[in-house]
Amino acid sequence: MASVEKRERQMDPPQISVIVPVYNSISCLEKCVKSICAQTYSNLEILLIDDGSTDGSDRLCEKLSQEDKRIRTYRKQNGGASSARNMGITLAAGEYLGFVDSDDYIEPYVYEEMMRALIGSGRLAAQISRDEVDEQGRRLPDVCTPPKQTQFCGAQDFVKELLMHRGDCSFCTKLVKKVLFEEHRFPEGELNEDFRLLVELLQEIDGIVILPMQGYHVVCRRESTTRKRTKDSFSRVFLDIVDNADRMQELVDRKYPALHVYAIRFNLFQRLDYLLHVPVSQMRRDNVFYQKVKKYLRRHLRDTITNPYLTKKNKGYLIVLTIAPRAVRRVHGWKMKLAGVPDAPR
């Protein structure tokens, strides 16, 4: 009898732990969690990590956990999404980990399809494709183009796609074997945390299976802290993307020298993004970070002109921003205002 029970346990599908960091998400949390509960993959646990919410999200988490025994709720002091995810990783009982942001939602087939891809290929990480929708559910242009069919992308090729801004660095679209997180966690206090952690994990796996179905829906909300801007506000994400570009350059030169020109392109593009968002009021001589960005662009002006992977528009912006950043930003701000873009930095 014992051997029969053992065989039956061995036939159970692997457990997936889905980690949801929650912070003041009361308006969208239930839709998110219900979409996870509706998964066709049966062996799930859902970890709701409330990160010190003040809008009643913690009580909603408790209510949802009473309605579905697969849901476990934990509450912690506010420390950011990365700290909530890291707590979930520590608490997770599953063999595989998935992540969903509390203002997004997923299709019922997401984890069944990713698990099928992992088991069928023997890989350690799978990715479902995603789309973006507004608060009314209307489709927005794709940020990442999904493949036409399931494909395997090797680690070096995935790094290349990231350097070309074509790859999806989000962990929300991925299912990953938990063993990979034994010595890795999301960096806390950063806003480009997924990118940094994914690059670390790519050093330990041979690649990622990518599914074509756009089963993960990113909801773009006006109140999102990474999107909301005023004249002088400035998200530190634009600092983090430059720091990550420098890390990528070091990694590429050490491990993927064939990708050097792509890494230079990535560095230039990230600094362009920084210069197009930093408030003009912060473009000062005593701003050390800003001055470092300027010096880098001046040292790499030849790379800007000759890099084959920058568009003509990218090169044009980079050249004029390298020569006269403050003046160009003022003109750019006026053009954005005339085009009707609200809160355009100037």
Side-chain angles (χ1 to χ4, degrees), residues 157-174:
D157 287 336
F158 206 101
V159 170
K160 176 182 172 181
E161 292 301 295
L162 292 176
L163 293 173
M164 291 296 293
H165 291 93
R166 296 189 299 239
D168 183 359
C169 67
S170 173
F171 273 86
C172 289
T173 55
K174 294 173 180 60

Side-chain angles (χ1 to χ4, degrees), residues 115-160:
M115 183 61 78
R116 181 180 291 116
L118 288 179
I119 293 175
S121 65
R123 309 294 181 181
L124 300 178
Q127 173 181 295
I128 198 86
S129 294
R130 66 182 171 103
D131 61 18
E132 294 200 356
V133 299
D134 63 17
E135 292 174 282
Q136 287 71 47
R138 294 177 297 224
R139 282 283 303 273
L140 300 173
D142 287 334
V143 174
C144 301
T145 304
K148 293 189 183 332
Q149 59 188 14
T150 298
Q151 66 178 38
F152 174 73
C153 187
Q156 178 166 317
D157 287 336
F158 206 101
V159 170
K160 176 182 172 181

Side-chain angles (χ1 to χ4, degrees), residues 209-221:
V209 183
I210 305 175
L211 283 68
M213 302 85 81
Q214 291 178 290
Y216 189 98
H217 305 296
V218 178
V219 182
C220 300
R221 301 182 184 277

Side-chain angles (χ1 to χ4, degrees), residues 15-35:
Q15 186 178 44
I16 297 173
S17 296
V18 183
I19 298 167
V20 184
V22 177
Y23 180 71
N24 289 352
S25 309
I26 197 162
S27 64
C28 48
L29 178 61
E30 187 162 8
K31 180 176 182 177
C32 169
V33 175
K34 294 293 186 183
S35 74

Side-chain angles (χ1 to χ4, degrees), residues 81-93:
S82 288
S83 66
R85 283 176 167 183
N86 288 340
M87 181 177 179
I89 292 169
T90 300
L91 295 167

